[in-house]
Amino acid sequence: MLSAVERKIEQFVADLNDKHVSSLYMKLPKGKRLRAKLILKIAGTGLSVVKTAAIVEMIHAASLLHDDVIDDAHTRRSKPSLNAIYGNKTAIMLGDILYSKGFFELNNISADVAKIISNAVTQLSLGELKDVSLSQVFNDNKEIYLEMIYQKTASLIEASAGAAALLAGKPKEIYMIYGRNLGLAFQMIDDLLDITSDSTTLGKPALHDFAEGKTTLPYIYLYEALDEQSKQKLRSLHGRMLNAKEQTWILEQMQQHLIVEKSYLEAKKLIEEAIELMEQQGEKALSGIAKEMIERDF
Ligand code: FPP
Ligand code: MG
């Protein structure tokens, strides 16, 4: 039933009566639609549910349009990003259009659903700002990292699950914990993949995040494990382009201190808690979504 959500987004965009905007929207890659999937699995396929899922995906798409401008990213889902093709101004404005139309439609759902979603968008923006500020320094504080990824990524997934529970008359808090854990684990895994997946050109990880100044969980754990001299070395490599030798040093240190394993376990713990909660509720499909997230190679 995800196709009903796609059609609803297309209809919301068509309501705007602007051919340019419709053609730009059609060029956006659709993505996994994780948030919409959760909403439908929790609340079924009634009209308000499909609308809520469409609104959340429009907000999410808007946030990625803005994020690619902020990150100066030239690819999104392995294709040129919209800002790379049409420039930053177009990407920002398409984001604003999707976001504001989503908010307009949110008014037609219910005050409680509107509150939960709009609050998450504030969190999303606070998290993005924190992510940018943190990349200017070497952050070695795990709590600060967790707060940032909660705001930047988990808040909208948590709110999606909460809004769906409200629509379905299910216990909101339980579903919100599920969404929160899923969101945190999702971002932790995304951060881990920056270290473990081979870049196509070099045949080895590019460690983009660290070069951009982002000390994600594996770097925080590595820093904790290193002796004073190596700590200084890691700090000296932060926030700049690394040569092959420097990259290899980081990867070897990570291997030696079992950092990927440690970070993976942290994500796995959150997922196991999410699975447990959903199994208690008899929500097989939702525990399945959580399982899929963690069952992959690193
Ligand atoms: C991706 O992070 C970014 C987010 C999940 C949130 C971005 C939020 C905003 C720009 C603020 C909200 C704005 C609107 C219009 C609702 P990432 O850069 O770590 O991940 P990536 O690898 O997918 O780029
Ligand atoms: Mg980004």
Side-chain angles (χ1 to χ4, degrees):
M1 278 309 280
L2 268 183
S3 59
V5 176
E6 298 303 340
R7 280 201 304 277
K8 187 52 73 185
I9 303 176
E10 282 160 21
Q11 187 206 321
F12 284 158
V13 173
D15 285 352
L16 303 171
N17 229 346
D18 188 305
K19 285 205 177 73
H20 183 207
V21 170
S22 292
S23 90
L24 286 173
Y25 173 72
M26 294 312 276
K27 294 200 171 70
L28 288 182
K30 304 268 180 287
K32 296 178 289 294
R33 302 293 198 209
L34 169 69
R35 294 153 190 80
K37 227 188 254 178
L38 289 187
I39 292 171
L40 299 186
K41 295 276 187 230
I42 294 170
T45 52
L47 184 58
S48 295
V49 178
V50 170
K51 280 186 179 175
T52 304
I55 291 164
V56 167
E57 289 296 342
M58 285 166 82
I59 294 171
H60 177 56
S63 78
L64 295 182
L65 282 165
H66 286 190
D67 178 67
D68 284 343
V69 172
I70 292 166
D71 287 349
D72 199 17
H74 289 246
T75 54
R76 169 68 54 192
R77 307 192 209 282
S78 314
K79 286 194 190 146
S81 57
L82 201 100
N83 49 308
I85 308 174
Y86 301 104
N88 286 348
K89 293 179 187 177
T90 302
I92 289 173
M93 292 319 301
L94 182 63
D96 287 343
I97 291 162
L98 293 177
Y99 162 72
S100 51
K101 174 65 173 164
F103 264 55
F104 176 78
E105 294 298 335
L106 197 52
N107 284 308
N108 297 323
I109 311 291
S110 80
D112 283 347
V113 168
K115 251 187 221 164
I116 206 168
I117 302 289
S118 55
N119 176 53
V121 180
T122 311
Q123 293 301 314
L124 208 67
S125 310
L126 291 168
E128 182 80 348
L129 181 61
K130 213 165 270 174
D131 195 19
V132 171
S133 320
L134 283 176
S135 68
Q136 311 297 316
V137 294
F138 187 102
N139 174 50
D140 62 351
N141 186 319
K142 184 178 155 190
E143 294 313 312
I144 292 176
Y145 164 81
L146 288 177
E147 185 185 45
M148 183 275 286
I149 67 166
Y150 165 69
Q151 290 181 305
K152 181 180 77 164
T153 306
S155 62
L156 190 59
I157 301 176
E158 174 189 66
S160 301
L166 275 174
L167 290 168
K170 292 181 176 178
K172 188 180 77 176
E173 285 70 24
I174 294 175
Y175 288 81
M176 286 181 82
I177 299 172
Y178 165 79
R180 180 178 190 277
N181 282 18
L182 213 63
L184 290 172
F186 178 83
Q187 189 61 50
M188 283 177 184
I189 290 168
D190 196 56
D191 293 345
L192 205 49
L193 288 171
D194 190 69
I195 293 162
T196 58
S197 20
D198 287 359
S199 97
T200 41
T201 44
L202 296 172
K204 65 178 187 175
L207 310 181
H208 286 301
D209 285 343
F210 197 62
E212 282 166 15
K214 299 183 182 186
T215 49
T216 55
L217 190 61
Y219 295 97
I220 295 173
Y221 281 155
L222 178 61
Y223 189 74
E224 275 174 16
L226 292 175
D227 62 31
E228 213 40 57
Q229 198 183 353
S230 301
K231 271 189 168 65
Q232 287 318 315
K233 178 161 178 179
L234 187 64
R235 274 184 181 275
S236 77
L237 301 178
H238 169 250
R240 63 176 178 81
M241 285 283 287
L242 301 176
N243 63 36
K245 203 173 145 205
E246 292 166 336
Q247 286 191 358
T248 306
W249 181 80
I250 292 181
L251 292 170
E252 277 173 3
Q253 294 301 315
M254 292 231 177
Q255 235 170 16
Q256 209 172 313
H257 296 281
L258 303 175
I259 298 301
V260 170
E261 293 77 356
K262 190 170 174 186
S263 309
Y264 173 76
L265 274 183
E266 186 93 16
K268 193 161 176 251
K269 238 176 16 201
L270 290 162
I271 290 291
E272 278 166 356
E273 201 182 304
I275 292 171
E276 174 84 31
L277 280 177
M278 286 305 111
E279 290 194 340
Q280 282 165 9
Q281 298 295 311
E283 298 269 21
K284 278 259 167 315
L286 291 168
S287 61
I289 291 178
K291 273 178 204 154
E292 270 170 34
M293 196 172 282
I294 208 78
E295 280 167 5
R296 55 210 271 191
D297 290 333
F298 287 92

